Amino acid sequence: AGQAPISTQFGVVRSIEGSSGGYGRASSLRVVVELDSRAVRVFDVAHGSGWRVGDRVRVDGAQLTRD
């Protein structure tokens, strides 16, 4: 039996928060995305990945990419 297809969704980055990695430095970022369906998803991404509030994004399962 095959896997169910992953539903691709689109949205906009609404906020970005740093997660403390100790010594006052953020080791990862929490990116909050509002999907076009109005649902909200949260992703933990590597610090320095270049995300900005307002970026259009594509969500494939647990994968977040720029649209």
Side-chain angles (χ1 to χ4, degrees):
Q3 293 180 330
I6 295 174
S7 175
T8 299
Q9 299 176 306
F10 298 90
V12 176
V13 174
R14 290 297 180 205
S15 68
I16 300 170
E17 305 163 3
S19 299
S20 178
Y23 303 107
R25 299 182 65 196
S27 60
S28 66
L29 297 175
R30 181 158 289 167
V31 177
V32 178
V33 175
E34 181 181 344
L35 301 174
D36 292 345
S37 67
R38 296 292 199 208
V40 174
R41 297 273 310 268
V42 179
F43 298 86
D44 289 321
V45 300
H47 182 70
S49 53
W51 295 105
R52 294 185 307 227
V53 172
D55 282 350
R56 282 288 297 168
V57 296
R58 174 185 181 133
V59 178
D60 292 304
Q63 178 102 18
L64 180 66
T65 56
R66 281 185 184 77
D67 183 26

